[in-house]
Structure formats: structure tokens, C-alpha cells
């Protein structure tokens, strides 16, 4: 499978909104703005010009208070690794992660981190296999709000553990 990973561009937004509606219609446009202002890189995995996955690399670290309180020196943080269901188990998530790790290493960072939900054992196995380890401060809860595909305001909550990797 010939996957190309590249930073999101303005021309990609409408296609991303159609193929990845989770998180509301403006999610991808907001991430493009973050990329344009230098606070993040939004990586998209393409198969023959069709987006099949994405990952947000945030240079300023995790925003979760539990992570910031326990990690006084922030590292780049990975958020929202997602691969369309029909393309999972084909190495795309691994390619996205490795690309983000390479970018962080090229910028002089020694480690990178991410949160994983306890109810997501498949993701946890992937992160373990790729060398991510618990940061050492236990679990914490995160929550938020989003607008679903029908325009309804929804809330979510998740129990997480923070993982880091030396790169």
C-alpha cells in the first residue's frame, strides 16, 4: 500500500470534513489554522489522493491539566490519531506516528507524548509496541464537548494514561 503522509493544506479541508466528520465541521479548519500559526502540524495519510488517516502534532505539549501538573517540562504531544476503519491494521497509524516522531526529533526534541484512553486496548498495544511507556503519574480524566454530524451538542469523558517515548 503506497501511503503518502503530508501536512494538511487548504485544498484538503472540504474532503477531510466529508470523510472525517467526527468532532464537528470546523475541526480540520481549526487544525489548519494551528498549523499556519506554527503551534501544530496536522498530518494526513493519503492513499491515491484520498485521506485515510490523520494525526495532530502539538508543539506546545498536552493541554490536560493533569499532564501539565506532572510534567513541568512539556514535550510535543500527539492527539487524535485516527485511521478510517476499512484501512486499519495496515500500518497507516504506525507510519503517521513515525512521521510525527521524525518531525519532533528534527526539531531537537528528545521525547514525545500522547494520552490513550483505558477503553482503547488496540491503541495501547500499538503504542506499547512502538516504545511508548507510562509517564508515571497514573490515570486521569479528560472531558469535552463537540457538535455531532446532526448538529447536536454532545459531551464526552474518558479515563486516560499519559505515555511518553524517547525519540
Amino acid at each position: 500500500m503506497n501511503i503518502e503522509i503530508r501536512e494538511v493544506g487548504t485544498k484538503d479541508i472540504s474532503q477531510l470534513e466529508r470523510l472525517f466528520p467526527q468532532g464537528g465541521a470546523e475541526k480540520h479548519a481549526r487544525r489548519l489554522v494551528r498549523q499556519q500559526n506554527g503551534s501544530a502540524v496536522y498530518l494526513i495519510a493519503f492513499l491515491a489522493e484520498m485521506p485515510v488517516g490523520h494525526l495532530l502534532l502539538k508543539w506546545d505539549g498536552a493541554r490536560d491539566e493533569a499532564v501539565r501538573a506532572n510534567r513541568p517540562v512539556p514535550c510535543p504531544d500527539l492527539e487524535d490519531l485516527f485511521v478510517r476503519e476499512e484501512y486499519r491494521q495496515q500500518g497507516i497509524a504506525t507510519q503517521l506516528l513515525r512521521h510525527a516522531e521524525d518531525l519532533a526529533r528534527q526539531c531537537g526534541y528528545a521525547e514525545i507524548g500522547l494520552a490513550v484512553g483505558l477503553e482503547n486496548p488496540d491503541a495501547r498495544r500499538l503504542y506499547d509496541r512502538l516504545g511508548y511507556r507510562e509517564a508515571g503519574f497514573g490515570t486521569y480524566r479528560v472531558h469535552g464537548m463537540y457538535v455531532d454530524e446532526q448538529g447536536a451538542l454532545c459531551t464526552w469523558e474518558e479515563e486516560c494514561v499519559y505515555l511518553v517515548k524517547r525519540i
Side-chain angles (χ1 to χ4, degrees), residues 12-32 42 54 79-80 82 144-156:
D12 302 317
I13 298 300
S14 62
Q15 191 176 28
L16 291 171
E17 288 174 350
R18 189 177 75 259
L19 293 172
F20 300 101
Q22 309 85 347
E26 299 297 317
K27 174 176 93 172
H28 306 289
R30 285 191 308 271
R31 290 178 174 184
L32 174 62
Y42 193 24
H54 58 72
E79 177 180 290
D80 198 22
F82 184 83
M145 295 176 14
Y146 67 97
V147 177
D148 71 10
E149 296 172 37
Q150 290 75 37
L153 186 62
C154 303
T155 61
W156 60 271

Side-chain angles (χ1 to χ4, degrees), residues 116-131:
V116 62
L118 297 182
E119 76 291 341
N120 195 346
D122 292 337
R124 179 62 190 263
R125 277 190 294 280
L126 171 66
Y127 302 141
D128 287 346
R129 182 174 55 80
L130 294 177

Side-chain angles (χ1 to χ4, degrees), residues 55 78 81 93-101 126-127 130:
L55 175 64
L78 301 173
L81 173 60
T94 298
Q95 289 181 54
L96 281 162
L97 286 163
R98 289 200 170 129
H99 193 96
E101 292 166 4
L126 171 66
Y127 302 141
L130 294 177

Side-chain angles (χ1 to χ4, degrees), residues 59-60 74-76 101 103-112 167:
W59 295 117
D60 55 354
C75 63
E101 292 166 4
L103 287 175
R105 188 180 309 104
Q106 290 167 16
C107 288
Y109 291 97
E111 63 181 10
I112 196 164
I167 50 174

